[in-house]
Amino acid sequence: MTERSVAARAAAALREAKRAFAANDYPLALARISQAVALNHLTLEVVELFDVLLGAADPDAAAALLGDLLDDAWGDWPPDFHASLAARRFDALRALPATGAEELAEAALETFEAAAAGDVRAWRPVADPDRRAALLSAVAAPSGALLALEQLAYAPVAAGLRAHAVALAESFGHAHLGEPDLARAAERVLFRLGAPAAAHRVESGRKATRPRPDSRPAEPAPLDLAGRLLVIAGGHDRLRAAVRDELRGAGLRGLREVPPTWEGQLGASLQGLVQGADLVLLVVRQLDHSTGDAVVAAAAAEAVPVVRVPSASVAGIRSAAVDALAGKTRP
């Protein structure tokens, strides 16, 4: 589909939505304006009409519609729009009694990950205290809480979330002193948040506490990626920097990066970037379709295996790499 045909389809969908809205046919108007959104036609007029119609929809319909849009979107939308829709889907799911805890936790994590890809504007849905409390409550399990804390650590200082994130991470660390892997994970988050004193307090408590007999490692053994060359496609710049720190010392031959479109031009050929690589990792929640498709095509041309990383987190990228290289997952 050409860029011109996409624009024509989006414009036609907007015209039909406006006609349906004028005729008070709100379900049809919502369906048509959703087409424009799906085609990435995010003009102010489209966004405003979409917000109005989405607000008038019942939670069940809104959750289903937003779920479909988010599943199809990858990183095609600007992070602030993605975060806004992810937060609204979370709100709609939370209003439905039939929503399971796992589905709600997944929607909460997607909201955090969408916000983490952007600037202060993307963090506005999470900055709301009531929604943030609900999001954090949905990811109360240790594994989910750690993922949420990692995303909060990526928030810019101007978002005003740093002090709350530090308090949450330190509280989590102290609550899990008897589980060394969880406590150490909290320490790493605190260092990323620029709170070394809090990290050392958790470290001191961990070293003074006897590990629980039933404690299970939350992290894999030390990495051994000697001689491997990896390519990470997608993920925001702070996440990719955190991955570089995580994999430093693992013996990698190299780590190459393909940023999402919203970060600007790549400046290097994809063919050259994937050439000689052992594995390409697609961080699909923070990667636009066009870049993702181009990376997959380049990898196929070079016979380099590709795996999709569903979680935009250091742990998700690390485990996806280790499992794929060990043959535990099929590229």
Side-chain angles (χ1 to χ4, degrees):
M1 189 184 302
T2 65
E3 186 175 339
R4 180 176 296 180
S5 65
V6 169
R9 287 182 58 195
L14 174 58
R15 289 194 298 271
E16 291 178 28
K18 290 164 69 175
R19 284 197 294 267
F21 183 72
N24 296 323
D25 189 346
Y26 298 142
L28 178 59
L30 181 57
R32 294 295 178 264
I33 202 67
S34 298
Q35 285 182 312
V37 169
L39 293 167
N40 207 26
H41 190 64
L42 303 182
T43 64
L44 180 60
E45 184 179 24
V46 167
V47 172
E48 288 181 345
L49 182 55
F50 184 65
D51 284 343
V52 168
L53 292 167
L54 195 60
D58 64 84
D60 200 351
L65 172 64
L66 290 172
D68 289 341
L69 286 172
L70 289 164
D71 285 343
D72 291 339
W74 279 25
D76 287 342
W77 296 328
D80 55 335
F81 186 74
H82 187 176
S84 174
L85 262 58
R88 294 187 73 161
R89 177 172 180 257
F90 173 80
D91 293 342
L93 287 172
R94 190 160 62 100
L96 299 174
T99 301
E102 187 174 340
E103 184 179 11
L104 195 61
E106 186 68 17
L109 286 173
E110 180 167 1
T111 303
F112 281 121
E113 290 179 2
D119 56 17
V120 173
R121 294 169 300 173
W123 281 96
R124 286 172 185 161
V126 178
D128 175 80
D130 292 336
R131 181 185 279 131
R132 187 164 72 253
L135 289 165
L136 291 167
S137 177
V139 293
S143 58
L146 277 175
L147 288 172
L149 287 171
E150 178 184 339
Q151 304 308 316
L152 285 169
Y154 298 132
V157 174
L161 301 174
R162 190 61 52 94
H164 187 208
V166 169
L168 288 172
E170 183 171 6
S171 177
F172 180 92
H174 285 298
H176 296 280
L177 294 176
E179 299 163 279
D181 293 304
L182 295 178
R184 280 195 291 267
E187 293 164 28
R188 287 195 293 273
V189 169
L190 287 165
F191 277 118
R192 282 192 198 125
L193 285 164
H200 290 311
R201 286 194 293 269
V202 174
E203 180 186 20
S204 297
R206 169 174 57 82
K207 290 180 176 178
T209 303
R210 176 178 295 180
R212 297 175 187 171
D214 61 345
S215 174
R216 296 289 185 271
E219 299 178 11
L223 281 174
D224 181 9
L225 298 174
R228 302 288 194 171
L229 173 60
L230 305 182
V231 177
I232 297 178
H236 52 82
D237 54 353
R238 285 93 62 212
L239 172 59
R240 299 195 306 274
V243 171
R244 288 196 299 272
D245 289 341
E246 175 75 8
L247 301 184
R248 185 178 291 121
L252 277 177
R253 177 162 54 96
L255 182 64
R256 298 171 180 169
E257 301 174 13
V258 181
T261 294
W262 66 77
E263 285 189 16
Q265 296 300 315
L266 179 64
S269 76
L270 290 176
Q271 203 78 25
L273 281 171
V274 303
Q275 192 172 41
D278 294 286
L279 182 68
V280 172
L281 298 139
L282 299 180
V283 186
V284 294
R285 279 189 175 169
Q286 294 175 351
L287 180 66
D288 53 285
H289 272 94
S290 59
T291 301
D293 291 344
V295 170
V296 170
E302 295 293 328
V304 177
V306 176
V307 294
R308 296 169 183 258
V309 185
S311 170
S313 66
V314 172
I317 293 170
R318 169 180 167 147
S319 63
V322 171
D323 289 348
L325 292 172
K328 295 180 181 179
T329 57
R330 184 177 180 180

